[in-house]
PDB file of all heavy atoms in Angstrom:
ATOM      1  N   LEU A   1     342.754 160.455 103.181  1.00  0.00           N
ATOM      2  CA  LEU A   1     341.596 159.609 102.878  1.00  0.00           C
ATOM      3  C   LEU A   1     342.057 158.294 102.259  1.00  0.00           C
ATOM      4  O   LEU A   1     341.581 157.210 102.616  1.00  0.00           O
ATOM      5  CB  LEU A   1     340.663 160.361 101.924  1.00  0.00           C
ATOM      6  CG  LEU A   1     339.205 159.920 101.833  1.00  0.00           C
ATOM      7  CD1 LEU A   1     338.475 160.163 103.149  1.00  0.00           C
ATOM      8  CD2 LEU A   1     338.502 160.669 100.705  1.00  0.00           C
ATOM      9  N   VAL A   2     342.986 158.382 101.315  1.00  0.00           N
ATOM     10  CA  VAL A   2     343.499 157.189 100.637  1.00  0.00           C
ATOM     11  C   VAL A   2     344.282 156.302 101.604  1.00  0.00           C
ATOM     12  O   VAL A   2     344.170 155.069 101.571  1.00  0.00           O
ATOM     13  CB  VAL A   2     344.386 157.590  99.451  1.00  0.00           C
ATOM     14  CG1 VAL A   2     345.050 156.368  98.830  1.00  0.00           C
ATOM     15  CG2 VAL A   2     343.569 158.324  98.383  1.00  0.00           C
ATOM     16  N   GLU A   3     345.063 156.926 102.476  1.00  0.00           N
ATOM     17  CA  GLU A   3     345.962 156.169 103.363  1.00  0.00           C
ATOM     18  C   GLU A   3     345.253 155.572 104.573  1.00  0.00           C
ATOM     19  O   GLU A   3     345.817 154.707 105.258  1.00  0.00           O
ATOM     20  CB  GLU A   3     347.090 157.091 103.835  1.00  0.00           C
ATOM     21  CG  GLU A   3     348.006 157.537 102.702  1.00  0.00           C
ATOM     22  CD  GLU A   3     348.863 158.734 103.063  1.00  0.00           C
ATOM     23  OE1 GLU A   3     348.761 159.204 104.223  1.00  0.00           O
ATOM     24  OE2 GLU A   3     349.616 159.214 102.196  1.00  0.00           O
ATOM     25  N   ASN A   4     344.024 155.978 104.853  1.00  0.00           N
ATOM     26  CA  ASN A   4     343.280 155.452 105.990  1.00  0.00           C
ATOM     27  C   ASN A   4     342.961 153.974 105.758  1.00  0.00           C
ATOM     28  O   ASN A   4     342.261 153.628 104.802  1.00  0.00           O
ATOM     29  CB  ASN A   4     341.985 156.251 106.158  1.00  0.00           C
ATOM     30  CG  ASN A   4     341.212 155.859 107.401  1.00  0.00           C
ATOM     31  OD1 ASN A   4     341.337 154.748 107.926  1.00  0.00           O
ATOM     32  ND2 ASN A   4     340.385 156.767 107.885  1.00  0.00           N
ATOM     33  N   PRO A   5     343.466 153.076 106.610  1.00  0.00           N
ATOM     34  CA  PRO A   5     343.207 151.639 106.403  1.00  0.00           C
ATOM     35  C   PRO A   5     341.722 151.294 106.340  1.00  0.00           C
ATOM     36  O   PRO A   5     341.328 150.326 105.677  1.00  0.00           O
ATOM     37  CB  PRO A   5     343.872 150.994 107.628  1.00  0.00           C
ATOM     38  CG  PRO A   5     344.895 151.989 108.084  1.00  0.00           C
ATOM     39  CD  PRO A   5     344.294 153.334 107.792  1.00  0.00           C
ATOM     40  N   GLY A   6     340.900 152.085 107.010  1.00  0.00           N
ATOM     41  CA  GLY A   6     339.467 151.815 106.998  1.00  0.00           C
ATOM     42  C   GLY A   6     338.812 152.059 105.659  1.00  0.00           C
ATOM     43  O   GLY A   6     337.658 151.648 105.443  1.00  0.00           O
ATOM     44  N   ASN A   7     339.536 152.707 104.744  1.00  0.00           N
ATOM     45  CA  ASN A   7     338.978 153.000 103.421  1.00  0.00           C
ATOM     46  C   ASN A   7     339.477 152.049 102.343  1.00  0.00           C
ATOM     47  O   ASN A   7     339.258 152.291 101.156  1.00  0.00           O
ATOM     48  CB  ASN A   7     339.322 154.437 103.024  1.00  0.00           C
ATOM     49  CG  ASN A   7     338.553 155.462 103.831  1.00  0.00           C
ATOM     50  OD1 ASN A   7     337.422 155.212 104.245  1.00  0.00           O
ATOM     51  ND2 ASN A   7     339.170 156.617 104.072  1.00  0.00           N
ATOM     52  N   ALA A   8     340.150 150.975 102.747  1.00  0.00           N
ATOM     53  CA  ALA A   8     340.728 150.057 101.766  1.00  0.00           C
ATOM     54  C   ALA A   8     339.678 149.481 100.826  1.00  0.00           C
ATOM     55  O   ALA A   8     339.962 149.180  99.658  1.00  0.00           O
ATOM     56  CB  ALA A   8     341.464 148.929 102.481  1.00  0.00           C
ATOM     57  N   GLY A   9     338.458 149.355 101.305  1.00  0.00           N
ATOM     58  CA  GLY A   9     337.392 148.795 100.486  1.00  0.00           C
ATOM     59  C   GLY A   9     336.944 149.700  99.354  1.00  0.00           C
ATOM     60  O   GLY A   9     336.180 149.271  98.479  1.00  0.00           O
ATOM     61  N   HIS A  10     337.417 150.928  99.354  1.00  0.00           N
ATOM     62  CA  HIS A  10     337.050 151.848  98.284  1.00  0.00           C
ATOM     63  C   HIS A  10     338.028 151.800  97.109  1.00  0.00           C
ATOM     64  O   HIS A  10     337.873 152.578  96.159  1.00  0.00           O
ATOM     65  CB  HIS A  10     336.964 153.277  98.830  1.00  0.00           C
ATOM     66  CG  HIS A  10     335.877 153.478  99.842  1.00  0.00           C
ATOM     67  ND1 HIS A  10     334.543 153.249  99.565  1.00  0.00           N
ATOM     68  CD2 HIS A  10     335.928 153.874 101.142  1.00  0.00           C
ATOM     69  CE1 HIS A  10     333.814 153.495 100.635  1.00  0.00           C
ATOM     70  NE2 HIS A  10     334.625 153.877 101.609  1.00  0.00           N
ATOM     71  N   ALA A  11     339.001 150.917  97.171  1.00  0.00           N
ATOM     72  CA  ALA A  11     339.913 150.728  96.037  1.00  0.00           C
ATOM     73  C   ALA A  11     339.282 149.752  95.048  1.00  0.00           C
ATOM     74  O   ALA A  11     338.824 148.674  95.421  1.00  0.00           O
ATOM     75  CB  ALA A  11     341.257 150.202  96.514  1.00  0.00           C
ATOM     76  N   VAL A  12     339.231 150.141  93.786  1.00  0.00           N
ATOM     77  CA  VAL A  12     338.525 149.392  92.743  1.00  0.00           C
ATOM     78  C   VAL A  12     339.530 148.885  91.710  1.00  0.00           C
ATOM     79  O   VAL A  12     340.460 149.610  91.332  1.00  0.00           O
ATOM     80  CB  VAL A  12     337.481 150.294  92.034  1.00  0.00           C
ATOM     81  CG1 VAL A  12     336.616 149.485  91.086  1.00  0.00           C
ATOM     82  CG2 VAL A  12     336.638 151.046  93.043  1.00  0.00           C
ATOM     83  N   ASP A  13     339.351 147.657  91.248  1.00  0.00           N
ATOM     84  CA  ASP A  13     340.172 147.155  90.151  1.00  0.00           C
ATOM     85  C   ASP A  13     339.827 147.911  88.864  1.00  0.00           C
ATOM     86  O   ASP A  13     338.660 148.244  88.625  1.00  0.00           O
ATOM     87  CB  ASP A  13     339.936 145.662  89.927  1.00  0.00           C
ATOM     88  CG  ASP A  13     340.488 144.812  91.069  1.00  0.00           C
ATOM     89  OD1 ASP A  13     341.487 145.243  91.689  1.00  0.00           O
ATOM     90  OD2 ASP A  13     339.914 143.751  91.335  1.00  0.00           O
ATOM     91  N   VAL A  14     340.831 148.159  88.033  1.00  0.00           N
ATOM     92  CA  VAL A  14     340.615 148.918  86.802  1.00  0.00           C
ATOM     93  C   VAL A  14     339.608 148.232  85.886  1.00  0.00           C
ATOM     94  O   VAL A  14     338.852 148.897  85.173  1.00  0.00           O
ATOM     95  CB  VAL A  14     341.958 149.152  86.073  1.00  0.00           C
ATOM     96  CG1 VAL A  14     341.743 149.755  84.699  1.00  0.00           C
ATOM     97  CG2 VAL A  14     342.848 150.072  86.897  1.00  0.00           C
ATOM     98  N   ASP A  15     339.571 146.898  85.905  1.00  0.00           N
ATOM     99  CA  ASP A  15     338.634 146.203  85.022  1.00  0.00           C
ATOM    100  C   ASP A  15     337.193 146.306  85.509  1.00  0.00           C
ATOM    101  O   ASP A  15     336.274 145.818  84.843  1.00  0.00           O
ATOM    102  CB  ASP A  15     339.039 144.741  84.837  1.00  0.00           C
ATOM    103  CG  ASP A  15     339.067 143.944  86.137  1.00  0.00           C
ATOM    104  OD1 ASP A  15     338.690 144.496  87.194  1.00  0.00           O
ATOM    105  OD2 ASP A  15     339.468 142.772  86.096  1.00  0.00           O
ATOM    106  N   GLN A  16     336.972 146.975  86.641  1.00  0.00           N
ATOM    107  CA  GLN A  16     335.616 147.169  87.154  1.00  0.00           C
ATOM    108  C   GLN A  16     335.098 148.587  86.898  1.00  0.00           C
ATOM    109  O   GLN A  16     334.011 148.936  87.363  1.00  0.00           O
ATOM    110  CB  GLN A  16     335.565 146.881  88.651  1.00  0.00           C
ATOM    111  CG  GLN A  16     335.779 145.418  89.003  1.00  0.00           C
ATOM    112  CD  GLN A  16     335.668 145.197  90.507  1.00  0.00           C
ATOM    113  OE1 GLN A  16     336.357 145.823  91.312  1.00  0.00           O
ATOM    114  NE2 GLN A  16     334.780 144.298  90.892  1.00  0.00           N
ATOM    115  N   ILE A  17     335.872 149.381  86.170  1.00  0.00           N
ATOM    116  CA  ILE A  17     335.451 150.759  85.944  1.00  0.00           C
ATOM    117  C   ILE A  17     335.390 151.056  84.446  1.00  0.00           C
ATOM    118  O   ILE A  17     335.972 150.354  83.628  1.00  0.00           O
ATOM    119  CB  ILE A  17     336.395 151.779  86.617  1.00  0.00           C
ATOM    120  CG1 ILE A  17     337.734 151.859  85.876  1.00  0.00           C
ATOM    121  CG2 ILE A  17     336.609 151.427  88.085  1.00  0.00           C
ATOM    122  CD1 ILE A  17     338.608 153.004  86.333  1.00  0.00           C
ATOM    123  N   ARG A  18     334.664 152.113  84.131  1.00  0.00           N
ATOM    124  CA  ARG A  18     334.656 152.685  82.779  1.00  0.00           C
ATOM    125  C   ARG A  18     335.190 154.100  82.897  1.00  0.00           C
ATOM    126  O   ARG A  18     334.604 154.945  83.597  1.00  0.00           O
ATOM    127  CB  ARG A  18     333.252 152.696  82.188  1.00  0.00           C
ATOM    128  CG  ARG A  18     333.150 153.383  80.800  1.00  0.00           C
ATOM    129  CD  ARG A  18     331.789 153.158  80.195  1.00  0.00           C
ATOM    130  NE  ARG A  18     331.528 153.941  79.005  1.00  0.00           N
ATOM    131  CZ  ARG A  18     331.975 153.658  77.774  1.00  0.00           C
ATOM    132  NH1 ARG A  18     332.740 152.598  77.590  1.00  0.00           N
ATOM    133  NH2 ARG A  18     331.668 154.427  76.740  1.00  0.00           N
ATOM    134  N   PHE A  19     336.301 154.352  82.244  1.00  0.00           N
ATOM    135  CA  PHE A  19     336.881 155.691  82.260  1.00  0.00           C
ATOM    136  C   PHE A  19     335.950 156.666  81.552  1.00  0.00           C
ATOM    137  O   PHE A  19     335.436 156.377  80.470  1.00  0.00           O
ATOM    138  CB  PHE A  19     338.236 155.704  81.555  1.00  0.00           C
ATOM    139  CG  PHE A  19     339.360 155.102  82.350  1.00  0.00           C
ATOM    140  CD1 PHE A  19     339.588 153.731  82.328  1.00  0.00           C
ATOM    141  CD2 PHE A  19     340.199 155.898  83.115  1.00  0.00           C
ATOM    142  CE1 PHE A  19     340.634 153.164  83.053  1.00  0.00           C
ATOM    143  CE2 PHE A  19     341.246 155.353  83.834  1.00  0.00           C
ATOM    144  CZ  PHE A  19     341.462 153.985  83.808  1.00  0.00           C
ATOM    145  N   LEU A  20     335.757 157.824  82.151  1.00  0.00           N
ATOM    146  CA  LEU A  20     335.027 158.914  81.524  1.00  0.00           C
ATOM    147  C   LEU A  20     336.021 159.985  81.076  1.00  0.00           C
ATOM    148  O   LEU A  20     337.155 160.024  81.567  1.00  0.00           O
ATOM    149  CB  LEU A  20     334.030 159.522  82.513  1.00  0.00           C
ATOM    150  CG  LEU A  20     332.914 158.605  83.012  1.00  0.00           C
ATOM    151  CD1 LEU A  20     332.096 159.316  84.087  1.00  0.00           C
ATOM    152  CD2 LEU A  20     332.026 158.151  81.867  1.00  0.00           C
ATOM    153  N   PRO A  21     335.628 160.862  80.149  1.00  0.00           N
ATOM    154  CA  PRO A  21     336.488 162.018  79.897  1.00  0.00           C
ATOM    155  C   PRO A  21     336.754 162.712  81.226  1.00  0.00           C
ATOM    156  O   PRO A  21     335.855 162.825  82.063  1.00  0.00           O
ATOM    157  CB  PRO A  21     335.646 162.881  78.954  1.00  0.00           C
ATOM    158  CG  PRO A  21     334.737 161.910  78.259  1.00  0.00           C
ATOM    159  CD  PRO A  21     334.415 160.867  79.295  1.00  0.00           C
ATOM    160  N   PRO A  22     337.981 163.179  81.459  1.00  0.00           N
ATOM    161  CA  PRO A  22     338.330 163.691  82.782  1.00  0.00           C
ATOM    162  C   PRO A  22     337.452 164.827  83.283  1.00  0.00           C
ATOM    163  O   PRO A  22     337.212 164.943  84.482  1.00  0.00           O
ATOM    164  CB  PRO A  22     339.774 164.162  82.602  1.00  0.00           C
ATOM    165  CG  PRO A  22     340.302 163.363  81.463  1.00  0.00           C
ATOM    166  CD  PRO A  22     339.127 163.155  80.550  1.00  0.00           C
ATOM    167  N   VAL A  23     336.989 165.702  82.386  1.00  0.00           N
ATOM    168  CA  VAL A  23     336.163 166.829  82.821  1.00  0.00           C
ATOM    169  C   VAL A  23     334.873 166.872  82.018  1.00  0.00           C
ATOM    170  O   VAL A  23     334.806 166.368  80.889  1.00  0.00           O
ATOM    171  CB  VAL A  23     336.912 168.181  82.661  1.00  0.00           C
ATOM    172  CG1 VAL A  23     338.129 168.228  83.560  1.00  0.00           C
ATOM    173  CG2 VAL A  23     337.300 168.427  81.216  1.00  0.00           C
ATOM    174  N   GLN A  24     333.848 167.450  82.622  1.00  0.00           N
ATOM    175  CA  GLN A  24     332.597 167.731  81.922  1.00  0.00           C
ATOM    176  C   GLN A  24     332.752 169.114  81.289  1.00  0.00           C
ATOM    177  O   GLN A  24     332.621 170.127  81.967  1.00  0.00           O
ATOM    178  CB  GLN A  24     331.419 167.704  82.899  1.00  0.00           C
ATOM    179  CG  GLN A  24     331.190 166.365  83.557  1.00  0.00           C
ATOM    180  CD  GLN A  24     330.657 165.332  82.598  1.00  0.00           C
ATOM    181  OE1 GLN A  24     329.799 165.622  81.771  1.00  0.00           O
ATOM    182  NE2 GLN A  24     331.143 164.111  82.709  1.00  0.00           N
ATOM    183  N   LEU A  25     333.063 169.141  80.010  1.00  0.00           N
ATOM    184  CA  LEU A  25     333.410 170.405  79.360  1.00  0.00           C
ATOM    185  C   LEU A  25     332.253 171.390  79.355  1.00  0.00           C
ATOM    186  O   LEU A  25     331.114 171.036  79.048  1.00  0.00           O
ATOM    187  CB  LEU A  25     333.870 170.148  77.930  1.00  0.00           C
ATOM    188  CG  LEU A  25     335.257 169.521  77.782  1.00  0.00           C
ATOM    189  CD1 LEU A  25     335.507 169.150  76.346  1.00  0.00           C
ATOM    190  CD2 LEU A  25     336.335 170.472  78.269  1.00  0.00           C
ATOM    191  N   ARG A  26     332.566 172.632  79.678  1.00  0.00           N
ATOM    192  CA  ARG A  26     331.577 173.702  79.661  1.00  0.00           C
ATOM    193  C   ARG A  26     331.616 174.462  78.347  1.00  0.00           C
ATOM    194  O   ARG A  26     330.709 175.226  78.037  1.00  0.00           O
ATOM    195  CB  ARG A  26     331.836 174.648  80.831  1.00  0.00           C
ATOM    196  CG  ARG A  26     331.667 173.933  82.172  1.00  0.00           C
ATOM    197  CD  ARG A  26     332.423 174.587  83.293  1.00  0.00           C
ATOM    198  NE  ARG A  26     332.379 173.738  84.484  1.00  0.00           N
ATOM    199  CZ  ARG A  26     333.099 173.957  85.565  1.00  0.00           C
ATOM    200  NH1 ARG A  26     333.918 174.974  85.625  1.00  0.00           N
ATOM    201  NH2 ARG A  26     333.013 173.141  86.595  1.00  0.00           N
ATOM    202  N   ARG A  27     332.695 174.301  77.597  1.00  0.00           N
ATOM    203  CA  ARG A  27     332.804 174.901  76.269  1.00  0.00           C
ATOM    204  C   ARG A  27     333.834 174.098  75.486  1.00  0.00           C
ATOM    205  O   ARG A  27     334.336 173.080  75.945  1.00  0.00           O
ATOM    206  CB  ARG A  27     333.175 176.379  76.358  1.00  0.00           C
ATOM    207  CG  ARG A  27     334.390 176.717  77.220  1.00  0.00           C
ATOM    208  CD  ARG A  27     334.563 178.218  77.287  1.00  0.00           C
ATOM    209  NE  ARG A  27     335.708 178.630  78.069  1.00  0.00           N
ATOM    210  CZ  ARG A  27     336.073 179.905  78.220  1.00  0.00           C
ATOM    211  NH1 ARG A  27     335.379 180.869  77.619  1.00  0.00           N
ATOM    212  NH2 ARG A  27     337.123 180.230  78.956  1.00  0.00           N
ATOM    213  N   ASN A  28     334.133 174.534  74.269  1.00  0.00           N
ATOM    214  CA  ASN A  28     334.996 173.758  73.387  1.00  0.00           C
ATOM    215  C   ASN A  28     336.386 173.557  73.968  1.00  0.00           C
ATOM    216  O   ASN A  28     336.862 174.314  74.815  1.00  0.00           O
ATOM    217  CB  ASN A  28     335.132 174.469  72.035  1.00  0.00           C
ATOM    218  CG  ASN A  28     333.890 174.357  71.194  1.00  0.00           C
ATOM    219  OD1 ASN A  28     332.840 173.939  71.665  1.00  0.00           O
ATOM    220  ND2 ASN A  28     333.994 174.730  69.930  1.00  0.00           N
ATOM    221  N   VAL A  29     337.064 172.510  73.460  1.00  0.00           N
ATOM    222  CA  VAL A  29     338.478 172.296  73.766  1.00  0.00           C
ATOM    223  C   VAL A  29     339.292 173.283  72.929  1.00  0.00           C
ATOM    224  O   VAL A  29     339.130 173.366  71.707  1.00  0.00           O
ATOM    225  CB  VAL A  29     338.897 170.855  73.421  1.00  0.00           C
ATOM    226  CG1 VAL A  29     340.393 170.646  73.677  1.00  0.00           C
ATOM    227  CG2 VAL A  29     338.068 169.849  74.211  1.00  0.00           C
TER     228      VAL A  29
END
């Protein structure tokens, strides 16, 4: 999916995103 040239438009600059916690926790860490 990443290597498909037709998907190049789905690459986003880091300054255009807000990082979320990696997982939606179901219970405590």
Side-chain angles (χ1 to χ4, degrees):
L1 200 65
V2 174
E3 294 164 2
N4 186 336
N7 289 329
H10 295 301
V12 188
D13 291 330
V14 172
D15 60 5
Q16 292 182 305
I17 72 170
R18 176 171 170 79
F19 284 85
L20 297 174
V23 296
Q24 297 289 319
L25 287 172
R26 297 156 189 170
R27 51 184 181 178
N28 286 12
V29 177

